[in-house]
Structures are given as structure tokens and as C-alpha cells.
Amino acid sequence: MNILLCCLSYREYTGSEIYFYELSTALHSAGHNVSIFSPFVDTPLRDRTKDIDFPNKEEIKKELYDMVLFSHGKVIWEYLKDVKTDKLINIIHSEVIDLEEPVDDSRVSLYVGIRPSIVEFIKSKIPTANIKLIYNPFDFTRFNPQRCKKKKSVKDKVVLFPGSLDYLRYKPLKYLLGLSEKQNFKVLHVGRSDYSTVHPNFATIESTWNVEKYYKQCDIVSGIFLGRTSIEGLLCGKKVLQFDVDSKGTIKKVYWHTESNLEKFDKTHIANKLLTSTREI
């Protein structure tokens, strides 16, 4: 199949961008011709991506695609209006970011929510939509208990808090730092930081591909919603302290998250489920 993946940005090691990286590699490994279109393609993620084409906005209009999967519809939809395909799939990554509003257009064949709460969000926006729950794709060779077992040399109790430290994660971070004073643990953040945070129990590391080495230093993983952070933690055999927040980053719920079936996050399974769901349209 000739498949086009579309997203707003393809350059950093963040949630939606890694989603399309993992999905593209899984689809390519299955024998499909895969292209990625984004208005913003750059290093470091572009350099890590092999055997995938990156057409520009004019080139995608000349090609006939068996299916087009896209996110960030408020921006990307304008680029797709003249793309030739019978199957447009809108993938939604968040229920609290305006950019992720589902595109309400009859040409969209299928809507995909990457967690149950997003499926409910799509239903609230487009009640008659054809919607599937299909989770984030992960590379199980990278994230597993054997590879990410905590090093004996790390004596401190450590909570790992990966992800872009933006307005959605700032209050959860402050919550963790307050808790760290009472329970005597360190908070290690990995990712972009939009805030200057100074605290004796806090350290921050720039975004890196090799995030597994920090999973080897932690006891607990913490993140917002059932996103990449929480799932990576579960795959690595860590306890996961999860926050649900609203669109302003206010904490709604704090809880220990567990999953009985982790195989549903395997990227090969995800790619197959997307292809099967598309064939059913």
C-alpha cells in the first residue's frame, strides 16, 4: 500500500512526533511504501528516520495514496484538501489541546483515539463519527523490564518525569516536588522545559533519544494521562503515578495506573490494527 502520514511537526522527540516515527517504521517493515508530510521537518528526528520519503506540500497533491493518516487537523487539513485518496484517517492525540480537535468533514473515513478518554472526547464533538480506540505504538525491544532494570549503583529513590515541561505538566511537577519533601525522593525530568525550576530534589535533562538510560535510574515513572510516558513506564516494569489534568493544566486526578494487557501497545500490533480498521471502511 502507498501510505501518507501527516503531522504538524516532525523534528523533536515528543509524543505525537514519536508516534509517527514508530508507526512509519512498523508500516515500512510490513512492506508498505510510507511517506511523511509535515510543514516542519528537521533534526534530530528526521536524521533518525530511514527508508521513509518526505514529500513537500506540492508533491503530496500529485500522488495517489491508498490511505492518509493525519493529526493536528486544525492546521494539517488545509494541506490535505487536494490530496488524492479514498481513505482519510484523523488520529487524535489529546482531549485538552485545541490543535487536536477532530476534523468534522464527511471525507474523513475514520477517527482514531489513542486512549479511551480521547474516544469519548471525539464522540462529544462528532456523535455520528466512525471511531476506533487504537493505542500509541511502542518498540518493545527498547522498553522492557530486562533492559530498563534499575541500576544497583543508584541509591536514591527516583521518580522519572519525562516529557515537555509545558503548562500541562507544570502543576503535576510542583505536586511531585511537594511530595518529595515529605517522602524523601528525587524527581528527574527529561525533555524540553518551558519553566525554570529550582528545587533541591529536582534535576532536568535535555530531550534525548536514549531515554531508556534514565528508566534504569528510577523506581517510579510519572506523567499526564495515558500517554507515552506512562506506557513506557509500564513496559519497563515500573510503578506509574499518573495525573489527569484539564486544558489549563489543573490537576483533576492523581492515581496509580496499571494495565493488564501490554501487548496492545506493540507497534506491529498497532500498525496491523490500523490497516485492518481501514480495510473495514
Side-chain angles (χ1 to χ4, degrees):
M1 294 178 71
N2 193 21
I3 301 172
L4 178 65
L5 309 179
C6 306
C7 54
L8 178 59
S9 176
Y10 193 84
R11 48 190 173 182
E12 303 293 342
Y13 300 143
T14 61
S16 61
E17 291 163 291
I18 295 296
Y19 175 98
F20 283 102
Y21 171 85
E22 296 292 7
L23 182 58
S24 68
T25 59
L27 290 169
H28 179 265
S29 295
H32 301 286
N33 181 55
V34 182
S35 302
I36 296 175
F37 167 74
S38 172
F40 305 102
V41 177
D42 206 342
T43 57
L45 191 55
R46 171 65 180 86
D47 291 346
R48 183 166 290 278
T49 308
K50 309 299 181 185
D51 303 314
I52 303 295
D53 295 324
F54 288 86
N56 61 37
K57 63 181 181 180
E58 298 303 323
E59 291 170 332
I60 62 175
K61 298 176 185 177
K62 301 174 184 178
E63 193 79 20
L64 176 62
Y65 295 102
D66 295 296
M67 58 190 292
V68 175
L69 299 93
F70 71 97
S71 292
H72 314 115
K74 278 201 169 182
V75 176
I76 292 298
W77 186 246
E78 291 300 315
Y79 295 96
L80 299 182
K81 288 182 176 179
D82 296 321
V83 172
K84 295 186 283 292
T85 185
D86 291 329
K87 296 182 178 180
L88 282 159
I89 296 90
N90 190 186
I91 301 169
I92 311 298
H93 296 268
S94 176
E95 60 272 57
V96 295
I97 299 176
D98 288 343
L99 187 65
E100 291 282 0
E101 288 267 337
V103 173
D104 190 355
D105 192 287
S106 61
R107 287 172 291 177
V108 178
S109 310
L110 176 67
Y111 298 85
V112 172
I114 64 163
R115 53 179 170 262
S117 56
I118 295 178
V119 169
E120 295 306 312
F121 168 69
I122 301 170
K123 287 179 181 178
S124 72
K125 297 293 181 179
I126 313 175
T128 59
N130 181 17
I131 308 169
K132 294 283 187 180
L133 170 62
I134 305 177
Y135 290 94
N136 260 317
F138 290 82
D139 184 348
F140 280 28
T141 65
R142 293 182 61 201
F143 301 102
N144 58 71
Q146 294 73 33
R147 196 163 187 265
C148 298
K149 185 178 180 180
K150 187 179 180 182
K151 292 181 177 180
K152 293 181 180 179
S153 59
V154 181
K155 303 302 181 183
D156 290 328
K157 184 177 181 181
V158 177
V159 175
L160 183 64
F161 191 66
S164 299
L165 186 49
D166 54 15
Y167 68 99
L168 291 176
R169 292 178 177 84
Y170 184 66
K171 289 178 181 176
L173 172 64
K174 300 297 284 185
Y175 179 101
L176 288 172
L177 291 177
L179 197 62
S180 76
E181 297 172 5
K182 301 173 184 177
Q183 299 187 7
N184 190 29
F185 61 82
K186 305 295 184 183
V187 178
L188 177 59
H189 167 252
V190 180
R192 188 191 82 237
S193 182
D194 297 342
Y195 297 88
S196 178
T197 304
V198 179
H199 191 282
N201 293 336
F202 179 72
T204 184
I205 306 291
E206 289 186 1
S207 181
T208 176
W209 179 259
N210 297 313
V211 69
E212 303 96 302
K213 66 181 179 181
Y214 298 109
Y215 281 97
K216 295 177 184 178
Q217 299 178 24
C218 77
D219 304 274
I220 295 169
V221 174
S222 187
I224 60 172
F225 301 114
L226 184 59
R228 295 204 69 85
T229 294
S230 294
I231 299 169
E232 284 176 358
L234 292 171
L235 294 177
C236 293
K238 309 293 181 178
K239 292 182 67 176
V240 172
L241 183 64
Q242 194 162 295
F243 294 84
D244 288 352
V245 300
D246 65 16
S247 60
K248 295 181 179 179
T250 300
I251 297 171
K252 297 169 60 179
K253 185 179 179 183
V254 185
Y255 55 102
W256 295 105
H257 188 87
T258 59
E259 290 283 342
S260 58
N261 172 26
L262 296 178
E263 293 302 316
K264 63 188 176 187
F265 302 117
D266 176 70
K267 66 179 184 179
T268 301
H269 169 77
I270 297 300
N272 288 338
K273 191 166 183 180
L274 279 167
L275 292 171
T276 300
S277 297
T278 305
R279 292 189 190 104
E280 294 172 352
I281 298 171

